[in-house]
C-alpha cells in the first residue's frame, strides 16, 4: 500500500470525505429533497414528546372524529386520540423496526452469503435452493402464514422482514465471495496459513460489503412499507400502540365520514418512503455508479 | 433449447417442493390443535378425537407430510374443516378474480410504462426525461396499499367516479371492468415506474446498436427507427421484469382485495387465517406459490427463446 493510500485512511480525512458526499447529495435537487424529508421524519420521531403535548394513546371520547384544527393539527380518530401525536410516535416504531430489521437482515445475509460462497459446493447449492424457495413465497403470503404461527406482534414483523431480505443480500455476498475465493491476495493469505475465519473477515468481507450497504439503505423504505402494511392488516403492531398502518386501518373503517384519519395515516408513509428512496438513489449514484446500470 | 426449458422447469418443481416442506413445517408447529380450534370450546373430547383422525393429525409427522405432499401432487389439497368442500374448488373459485386483477395491473403498467419510457429515452437529459424519471422513482417508492386507500378516497368516495366495493355484477363485463379499474391501477402504478425506467435504459442501449446505425445510414426517419426498430428489442427485458414481479403483484393484490372488498385469493387467505381454517390457508398459499414459480419459469424460458445468451449462462 502506498504512503498516499495510508494517509487517506486517517480519520480526519474520512470526515472530509463525509462532507464531500454530503455536498454532492445536496447538489442534486432530488438528493437534497430526500435528505430534507428524512431529517424531518427522524427529528419529528425523536422529539415527538416535545412537539406535541397529547399522549398518543390518551382517549378523549368527547372529541371523537374531530377534523383538523389548531388544537388537533391532523384531527382525532374514532377514540378521540390526537392523530398528530399518533403520527409522530408511530414514526418511532416505524424507524426502529426499519433500522433494526435491516441491520439483522444484513448480518444474516452476510454470514449466510460468506458460508455459501466460501463453503463446499453442495452446501452452496442447497442454500441457493432454500433462498429461491423463500423468495418464491409472495411476501404477504409469507407474512400471513408466519403471523398465524406467532400471533401478531413486532417480533413477527421483524421475522418477516429478515426472511424476505436475507436471501437477496446473501446471494450478492455469495457471488462476490466466489469471485474473491480465487483472488491472489486470498490465495496468498491461505498459503501463509491464515485461518478460514481470518480470510473471511479480513480479506473477503471488507471487499464485498460496500454494494450491499447501499442496497440495504435503499431497502429501508421497503421495510417501512412492510411494517405499515402488516399493521394495516392487523398483523403487526398491536393496539393501542401507534403505528402508521394501524392509523390507516382506523381511518379505512371510517373513510366515508372522516377522511382525515386516512390522510393522517398515509402521509407519513408517503413522505418517509419518498425521502429514503430519493436519498438512497442519490447515494447510490454518488458511491457506485456501476449499480445504476445493472437495473 | 428444450434442455434449457426442461432444466428450468425441473428447478421450478424442486423449489415448489422445498416451499411445501417449509409450509408444512410452519403449519405443524402452530400452537393449538387445529381440530379443537375448528370445533370450538364446547366440543367433547370424542368429537375432537374423531376430527383429528379424519384430518390425519394422529399419524406420525412424516406420514402426515408424505400424505400432504402426494395428495397435493394429485391436486387434492384436503377439504375445508367445516363445510367439507374440497379446498382446491374453493381456491379455484377465487383465483380468476385475482388473475383478472393482476392482468389489469399488467395492462396499466405496460400501456403507461412503455410509452413513458420511450418518450424519456428520446428526450434524454431534457426536462420531460427528468420529470418522468422522478415520477417513476416516486411511484415505485410509495407502497401500493397506500395508493389503493388514497385512490379509494379520491376517486370512489370523494369524486364518486368509480365504484368502491366488490367485483361487479357477474356476467356484466362493463360493470366488472369498472370495478377492476381502481384496484388494478393501485397495483400497477408502481410497475409503470419500473417499466418506464427499464424501457428507457434498454432503449438508450439499443439506439447505440450497430443495426440501428445501419438503419440510420439508410436514411430511415428517427420516428421509424425508434418505434419500429429499437422498441421491438428494447421491450424484451420487460418480460423478465413482469415475470419476477408477479409475486410482488400477488402481495399487492391481497391489499387491493381487502381495501376494495373484492373477492380473490388474498381475501380468502386473510379471512381463512382469522378463523384458523388451515387447509384453506395452506392450499391457497401453495397454489399462489406454484403459480408464481411457473410464471417465473415461463418468463425465463420465453427470454431464453428470444435471447440465446441467457440459455448458456444457466449451465
Amino acid at each position: 500500500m502506498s504512503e498516499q493510500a495510508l494517509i487517506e485512511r486517517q480519520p480526519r480525512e474520512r470526515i472530509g470525505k463525509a462532507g464531500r458526499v454530503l455536498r454532492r447529495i445536496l447538489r442534486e435537487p432530488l438528493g437534497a429533497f430526500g435528505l430534507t424529508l428524512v431529517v424531518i421524519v427522524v427529528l419529528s420521531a425523536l422529539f415527538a414528546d416535545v412537539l406535541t403535548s397529547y399522549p398518543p394513546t390518551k382517549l378523549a371520547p368527547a372529541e371523537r372524529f374531530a377534523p383538523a384544527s389548531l388544537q388537533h393539527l391532523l384531527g382525532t380518530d374514532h377514540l378521540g386520540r390526537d392523530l398528530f401525536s399518533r403520527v409522530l410516535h408511530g414514526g418511532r416504531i416505524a424507524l426502529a423496526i426499519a433500522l433494526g430489521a435491516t441491520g439483522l437482515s444484513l448480518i444474516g445475509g452476510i454470514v449466510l452469503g460468506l458460508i455459501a460462497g466460501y463453503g463446499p459446493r453442495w452446501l452452496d447449492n442447497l442454500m441457493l435452493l432454500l433462498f429461491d424457495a423463500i423468495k418464491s413465497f409472495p411476501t404477504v403470503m409469507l407474512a400471513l402464514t408466519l403471523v398465524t404461527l406467532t400471533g401478531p406482534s413486532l417480533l413477527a414483523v421483524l421475522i418477516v422482514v429478515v426472511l424476505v431480505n436475507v436471501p437477496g443480500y446473501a446471494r450478492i455476498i455469495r457471488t462476490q465471495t466466489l469471485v474473491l475465493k480465487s483472488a491472489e491476495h486470498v490465495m496468498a493469505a491461505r498459503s501463509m496459513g491464515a485461518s478460514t475465519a481470518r480470510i473471511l473477515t479480513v480479506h473477503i468481507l471488507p471487499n464485498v460489503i460496500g454494494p450491499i450497504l447501499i442496497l440495504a439503505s435503499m431497502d429501508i423504505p421497503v421495510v417501512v412499507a412492510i411494517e405499515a402494511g402488516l399493521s394495516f392488516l392487523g398483523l403487526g403492531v398491536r393496539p393501542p400502540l401507534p403505528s402508521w398502518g394501524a392509523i390507516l386501518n382506523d381511518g379505512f373503517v371510517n373513510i366515508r365520514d372522516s377522511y382525515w384519519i386516512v390522510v393522517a395515516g398515509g402521509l407519513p408513509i408517503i413522505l418517509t418512503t419518498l425521502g429514503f428512496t430519493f436519498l438512497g438513489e442519490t447515494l447510490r449514484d454518488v458511491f457506485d455508479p456501476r449499480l445504476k446500470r445493472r437495473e | 433449447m428444450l434442455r434449457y426449458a426442461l432444466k428450468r422447469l425441473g428447478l421450478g418443481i424442486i423449489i415448489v417442493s422445498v416451499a411445501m416442506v417449509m409450509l408444512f413445517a410452519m403449519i405443524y408447529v402452530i400452537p393449538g390443535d387445529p381440530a379443537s380450534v375448528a370445533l370450538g370450546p364446547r366440543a367433547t373430547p370424542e368429537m375432537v378425537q374423531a376430527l383429528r383422525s379424519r384430518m390425519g393429525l394422529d399419524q406420525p409427522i412424516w406420514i402426515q407430510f408424505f400424505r400432504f405432499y402426494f395428495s397435493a401432487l394429485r391436486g387434492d389439497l384436503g377439504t375445508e374443516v367445516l363445510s367439507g368442500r374440497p379446498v382446491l374448488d374453493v381456491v379455484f373459485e377465487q383465483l380468476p378474480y385475482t388473475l383478472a386483477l393482476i392482468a389489469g395491473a399488467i395492462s396499466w403498467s405496460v400501456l403507461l410504462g412503455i410509452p413513458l419510457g420511450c418518450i424519456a429515452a428520446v428526450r434524454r437529459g431534457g426536462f420531460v426525461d427528468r420529470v418522468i424519471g422522478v415520477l417513476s422513482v416516486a411511484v415505485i417508492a410509495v407502497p401500493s396499499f397506500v395508493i389503493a386507500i388514497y385512490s379509494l378516497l379520491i376517486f370512489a368516495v370523494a369524486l364518486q367516479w368509480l365504484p368502491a366495493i366488490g367485483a361487479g355484477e357477474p356476467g356484466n363485463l362493463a360493470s366488472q371492468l369498472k370495478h377492476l379499474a381502481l384496484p388494478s391501477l393501485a397495483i400497477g402504478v408502481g410497475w409503470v415506474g419500473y417499466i418506464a425506467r427499464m424501457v428507457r435504459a434498454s432503449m438508450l442501449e439499443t439506439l447505440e446498436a450497430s443495426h440501428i446505425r445501419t438503419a440510420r445510414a439508410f436514411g430511415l426517419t428517427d420516428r421509424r427507427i425508434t418505434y419500429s426498430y429499437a422498441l421491438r428489442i428494447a421491450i424484451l427485458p420487460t418480460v423478465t421484469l413482469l415475470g419476477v414481479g408477479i409475486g410482488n403483484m400477488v402481495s399487492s393484490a391481497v391489499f387491493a382485495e381487502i381495501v376494495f372488498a373484492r373477492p380473490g385469493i388474498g381475501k380468502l387467505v386473510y379471512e381463512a387465517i382469522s378463523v384458523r381454517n388451515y387447509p384453506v390457508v395452506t392450499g391457497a398459499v401453495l397454489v399462489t406459490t406454484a403459480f408464481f414459480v411457473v410464471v417465473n419459469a415461463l418468463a425465463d424460458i420465453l427470454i431464453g427463446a428470444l435471447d440465446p445468451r441467457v440459455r448458456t449462462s444457466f449451465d
Side-chain angles (χ1 to χ4, degrees), chain A residues 129 133 135-141 144 148-149 228-229 232-233 248 252 256 262-263 266-267 269 273-274 277 281 295, chain B residues 14-15 18-19 22 26 29 31 137-138 141 143 145 149-150 153 164 197 247 251 255 258-259 265 270 273 289 292-293:
Chain A
L129 199 64
K135 280 251 155 216
S136 66
F137 286 112
T139 308
V140 175
M141 291 290 177
L144 286 172
T148 331
L149 196 112
F232 170 70
L233 294 180
L248 266 181
F252 174 64
R256 286 186 191 278
V262 172
V263 174
L267 268 185
I269 302 177
T273 48
L274 280 185
T277 307
E281 294 259 326
E295 270 190 22
Chain B
I14 296 174
I15 290 176
V18 175
M22 295 197 290
M26 263 190 221
V29 294
V137 180
F145 73 96
I149 295 173
Y150 272 37
L153 177 66
R197 283 173 70 149
S251 290
F255 288 105
I258 291 166
V259 168
I265 292 279
Y270 181 63
I273 279 180
T289 307
F292 172 56
V293 170

Side-chain angles (χ1 to χ4, degrees), chain A residues 6-295:
Chain A
L6 280 175
I7 292 170
E8 274 181 22
R9 282 265 180 104
Q10 295 299 310
R12 196 180 297 162
E13 278 292 315
R14 230 182 283 150
I15 295 169
K17 196 182 172 196
R20 273 206 304 281
V21 168
L22 189 66
R23 220 169 301 144
R24 284 193 63 183
I25 290 172
L26 290 176
R27 211 166 35 203
E28 290 284 322
L30 213 55
F33 181 57
L35 186 63
T36 315
L37 284 180
V38 168
V39 168
I40 291 176
V41 169
V42 170
L43 286 184
S44 63
L46 281 179
F47 296 106
D49 294 319
V50 184
L51 290 169
T52 170
S53 52
Y54 293 99
T57 52
K58 187 182 157 239
L59 309 183
E63 293 169 50
R64 296 167 67 218
F65 296 120
S69 64
L70 279 179
Q71 275 88 40
H72 299 288
L73 291 175
L74 291 172
T76 64
D77 66 6
H78 61 297
L79 299 172
R81 295 176 294 197
D82 179 61
L83 283 170
F84 184 62
S85 166
R86 284 182 74 72
V87 165
L88 295 188
H89 284 91
R92 289 184 173 179
I93 291 176
L95 293 180
I97 290 188
L99 295 179
T102 308
L104 282 179
S105 324
L106 266 178
I107 296 172
I110 289 172
V111 171
L112 292 179
L114 286 175
I115 294 176
Y118 203 79
R121 188 72 190 271
W122 64 268
L123 190 62
D124 182 28
N125 286 333
L126 183 72
M127 287 173 84
L128 280 186
L129 199 64
L130 274 179
F131 296 156
D132 281 346
I134 294 176
K135 280 251 155 216
S136 66
F137 286 112
T139 308
V140 175
M141 291 290 177
L142 186 72
L144 286 172
T145 338
L146 255 174
V147 170
T148 331
L149 196 112
T150 61
S153 67
L154 282 182
L155 183 71
V157 179
L158 219 63
I159 297 177
V160 169
V161 173
V162 170
L163 266 181
V164 169
N165 281 344
V166 160
Y169 296 161
R171 256 179 178 282
I172 293 170
I173 294 281
R174 168 200 170 260
T175 316
Q176 288 178 299
T177 309
L178 273 181
V179 175
L180 283 177
K181 201 175 176 178
S182 48
E184 274 174 15
H185 74 281
V186 174
M187 299 284 221
R190 201 183 303 153
S191 66
M192 286 190 284
S195 67
T196 308
R198 187 176 161 81
I199 292 176
L200 285 178
T201 50
V202 177
H203 298 288
I204 292 185
L205 188 58
N207 292 308
V208 297
I209 206 167
I212 206 179
L213 285 181
I214 299 175
L215 274 186
S217 79
M218 299 188 67
D219 273 344
I220 287 182
V222 179
V223 179
V224 170
I226 293 179
E227 186 271 313
L230 289 181
S231 298
F232 170 70
L233 294 180
L235 304 174
V237 176
R238 301 297 290 154
L241 271 185
S243 151
W244 296 336
I247 299 174
L248 266 181
N249 190 26
D250 293 339
F252 174 64
V253 180
N254 302 298
I255 197 167
R256 286 186 191 278
D257 316 302
S258 318
Y259 64 89
W260 56 86
I261 308 178
V262 172
V263 174
L267 268 185
I269 302 177
I270 295 176
L271 295 181
T272 310
T273 48
L274 280 185
F276 276 106
T277 307
F278 286 153
L279 182 63
E281 294 259 326
T282 317
L283 269 180
R284 183 192 57 187
D285 294 352
V286 170
F287 274 116
D288 194 356
R290 271 174 309 160
L291 277 174
K292 190 175 188 178
R293 235 173 288 150
R294 221 175 40 193
E295 270 190 22

Side-chain angles (χ1 to χ4, degrees), chain B residues 80-165:
Chain B
E80 231 189 317
V81 178
L82 290 183
S83 72
R85 286 181 62 204
V87 167
L88 201 66
D89 289 2
V90 180
V91 172
F92 278 157
E93 202 176 86
Q94 302 294 320
L95 194 59
Y97 292 104
T98 305
L99 291 185
L101 197 56
I102 291 176
I106 292 179
S107 317
W108 278 113
S109 58
V110 166
L111 288 178
L112 295 174
I114 292 179
L116 285 175
C118 279
I119 294 170
V122 172
R123 306 273 171 91
R124 176 186 197 174
F127 177 71
V128 178
D129 181 23
R130 281 201 73 113
V131 171
I132 292 177
V134 171
L135 280 181
S136 304
V137 180
V139 290
I140 293 172
V142 177
S144 75
F145 73 96
V146 177
I147 296 179
I149 295 173
Y150 272 37
S151 60
L152 172 78
L153 177 66
I154 296 171
F155 297 109
V157 175
L159 299 172
Q160 301 200 336
W161 286 354
L162 289 161
I165 287 175

Side-chain angles (χ1 to χ4, degrees), chain B residues 201-212 229-231 233-234:
Chain B
S202 62
M203 190 81 164
L204 287 177
E205 208 171 288
T206 317
L207 285 175
E208 306 282 310
S210 46
H211 74 280
I212 297 293
Y229 285 71
L231 182 60
I233 297 166

